[in-house]
Amino acid sequence: MHFLWSNKYTEMKKIIARSLAVAVVILLLMCGSEILLNELPNSSLIERKNAFAESSAGQLSNKEGINSWFVPNKTKWSKLKEQYTEQVYASEDSETFLFYTDPHIPGSENWEDRYKNVLSYITWVYDWVPVNFCICGGDFLTNVAPYNEEITADEAVFYLQYTDRLNREAFGANYFLAAVGNHDLNYQGTEEISSPMIAEAMFPDKGKTYYRYEGTTSDIYVLDTGRNWIVNEEGKADYDVPMDEYKWEQINWLAEQLEEHDAAHNIIVMHIILNSNDENDVRFCLYDNAYQLCQAYNRRKKIILNNIDYDFSNCSGKVEFFLGGHIHRDRVSNDMYSIPFIIRRKLITQNKLAFDCVLCDWKNRIVQFTRFGEGKSVTVQLP
């Protein structure tokens, strides 16, 4: 079903999609005040749910109560689908995607069943609402002791590779984006893994852990903040140590890409924007320099970073916002930043899920994060 919402629309697909959307809304209105997942009018989803309920993962989730929140009502489902469908087809100036971050599952107990369990819920929403792609903000590997302490480098690479495959099977090989988180380096395990090792496991077609993705109406730049997490001699993370060569490699690449493609709308995704939940916390070093660069790009200014001159005076595009995770809480930057950052909470908290459908309405200059699960939805006004 997801192919109907890809960015390669045809007139025939639009007609079919509109017809399906109308039929779905009618069916929804015929239902009662609440809709359980096994009542959704899509046989493939019904079959998936039934098969899952009989699996060990389904029995585990029922025992742990991980699916107790997921009873969407008629109004929420129908209105959200109607809004996204209308926005996608009525305007060429919008972008839609699904976002989740910090799953922290691979490597933990029963991790494979648990991850498939979680993906089953996320893909129900993904298949139901016309979003164009899915983004994970990083930190796939578990942070729960003692499991995290026992992960070897080879196991970490396998977990990342296998998890990436599960996501690409769920959302489509060309419709899943992932950022690298600090835990994905396996720094808490028996041995850290390098960015080239992660690139080979998750992004073999790109050769790097940072890359550009062309969306429907925007370019998405995914950066790697994993190397920010440097452990000092005392075994503690040192936030003040710069990324040095690897950071400037990404900054230089980002500058070249922005100038070359100069898309009307650009989104920057990175795992770490802030170090912690501290309101006065300093911004991370890669984010700080990327922000300076993007601000110069938006203002058509020249800027010198790491003794390199960048000139964006002939550009016309705009970096709209930064998107990340890491702190396991929902945060939105205040008005002092001309380019807002948006941070969303971790995927699972006490067996309760939290992920978002995102609608970027470029014409009206707003970004809507519709929360599924724990937490609140948020609408961010873009400058």
Side-chain angles (χ1 to χ4, degrees):
M1 180 176 179
H2 180 257
F3 71 91
L4 292 173
W5 317 118
S6 70
N7 56 5
K8 298 179 180 178
Y9 300 118
T10 64
E11 290 302 317
M12 182 58 70
K13 287 181 181 178
K14 290 183 180 181
I15 293 173
I16 295 174
R18 291 192 185 102
S19 300
L20 284 174
V22 172
V24 165
V25 172
I26 292 174
L27 286 171
L28 283 168
L29 294 175
M30 293 172 63
C31 295
S33 60
E34 289 192 342
I35 295 178
L36 297 177
L37 285 176
N38 59 3
E39 295 174 338
L40 294 178
N42 186 317
S43 60
S44 63
L45 299 183
I46 295 173
E47 293 171 357
R48 186 190 303 169
K49 183 181 189 301
N50 291 338
F52 168 74
E54 298 175 358
S55 69
S56 58
Q59 295 170 11
L60 177 66
S61 71
N62 288 331
K63 179 181 179 181
E64 296 182 348
I66 200 169
N67 58 356
S68 60
W69 63 269
F70 209 91
V71 188
N73 61 50
K74 173 187 64 178
T75 303
K76 179 175 181 178
W77 278 89
S78 59
K79 284 188 175 181
L80 183 66
K81 183 175 180 64
E82 184 178 8
Q83 177 193 15
Y84 273 54
T85 303
E86 179 181 358
Q87 189 73 30
V88 167
Y89 289 112
S91 172
E92 296 181 355
D93 204 22
S94 64
E95 186 73 88
T96 61
F97 58 91
L98 189 147
F99 181 76
Y100 76 92
T101 187
D102 295 80
H104 287 298
I105 298 176
S108 60
E109 186 177 11
N110 298 318
W111 76 268
E112 184 177 1
D113 282 344
R114 289 172 62 85
Y115 204 89
K116 289 179 178 179
N117 171 16
V118 169
L119 285 181
S120 70
Y121 292 115
I122 298 177
T123 51
W124 273 320
V125 177
Y126 183 76
D127 290 338
W128 184 253
V129 180
V131 293
N132 293 320
F133 49 89
C134 175
I135 302 175
C136 177
D139 263 7
F140 292 93
L141 297 183
T142 182
N143 60 349
V144 177
Y147 308 107
N148 58 340
E149 300 168 355
E150 300 171 351
I151 299 176
T152 66
D154 288 341
E155 287 174 332
V157 170
F158 167 76
Y159 292 151
L160 293 175
Q161 191 173 41
Y162 185 70
T163 302
D164 183 65
R165 182 169 68 82
L166 290 178
N167 277 280
R168 295 189 186 281
E169 289 176 351
F171 304 110
N174 298 320
Y175 301 100
F176 176 69
L177 291 69
V180 176
N182 52 296
H183 282 276
D184 298 328
L185 303 176
N186 199 40
Y187 75 95
Q188 290 182 325
T190 62
E191 183 183 357
E192 286 192 26
I193 57 178
S194 65
S195 293
M197 294 171 68
I198 297 176
E200 184 176 355
M202 300 180 68
F203 318 109
D205 57 325
K206 301 176 178 64
K208 295 286 186 179
T209 50
Y210 54 90
Y211 54 94
R212 167 182 168 268
Y213 179 85
E214 186 176 351
T216 305
T217 61
S218 63
D219 281 0
I220 295 86
Y221 292 95
V222 181
L223 302 181
D224 177 6
T225 58
R227 287 291 115 189
N228 266 142
W229 197 276
I230 299 175
V231 178
N232 60 26
E233 294 180 357
E234 286 73 33
K236 298 181 179 179
D238 188 348
Y239 296 106
D240 297 324
V241 177
M243 293 176 70
D244 292 335
E245 184 177 338
Y246 190 56
K247 175 182 75 169
W248 295 120
E249 176 184 322
Q250 294 186 73
I251 292 296
N252 190 60
W253 171 85
L254 178 61
E256 292 175 350
Q257 292 290 307
L258 287 171
E259 186 175 10
E260 176 183 352
H261 298 284
D262 200 22
H265 311 285
N266 299 276
I267 301 169
I268 313 295
V269 178
M270 58 177 64
H271 178 67
I272 308 176
I273 293 176
L274 296 180
N275 296 340
S276 69
N277 290 310
D278 188 346
E279 292 288 342
N280 298 315
D281 201 1
V282 297
R283 297 174 289 180
F284 237 33
C285 60
L286 176 57
Y287 168 75
D288 196 33
N289 292 129
Y291 175 82
Q292 293 173 320
L293 183 80
C294 293
Q295 191 173 45
Y297 173 77
N298 285 359
R299 296 176 177 178
R300 319 294 174 233
K301 299 290 187 179
K302 297 179 181 180
I303 189 172
I304 301 175
L305 292 173
N306 195 33
N307 298 319
I308 299 178
D309 294 326
Y310 300 105
D311 185 358
F312 299 113
S313 57
N314 294 322
C315 294
S316 60
K318 187 179 183 67
V319 173
E320 302 287 4
F321 59 91
F322 287 80
L323 178 60
H326 181 63
I327 64 174
H328 297 182
R329 297 291 186 273
D330 293 323
R331 285 279 301 275
V332 178
S333 61
N334 56 35
D335 294 336
M336 68 179 289
Y337 300 111
S338 61
I339 307 175
F341 68 69
I342 303 166
I343 300 173
R344 304 306 277 166
R345 68 187 297 166
K346 63 182 294 190
L347 178 62
I348 304 175
T349 303
Q350 296 181 340
N351 291 325
K352 295 181 180 180
L353 301 183
F355 58 93
D356 298 276
C357 280
V358 184
L359 172 61
C360 305
D361 185 347
W362 307 130
K363 180 179 180 180
N364 294 307
R365 306 300 301 155
I366 59 173
V367 180
Q368 295 178 339
F369 283 76
T370 301
R371 171 59 51 84
F372 284 82
E374 290 295 298
K376 296 181 179 179
S377 300
V378 64
T379 299
V380 179
Q381 185 70 51
L382 299 174

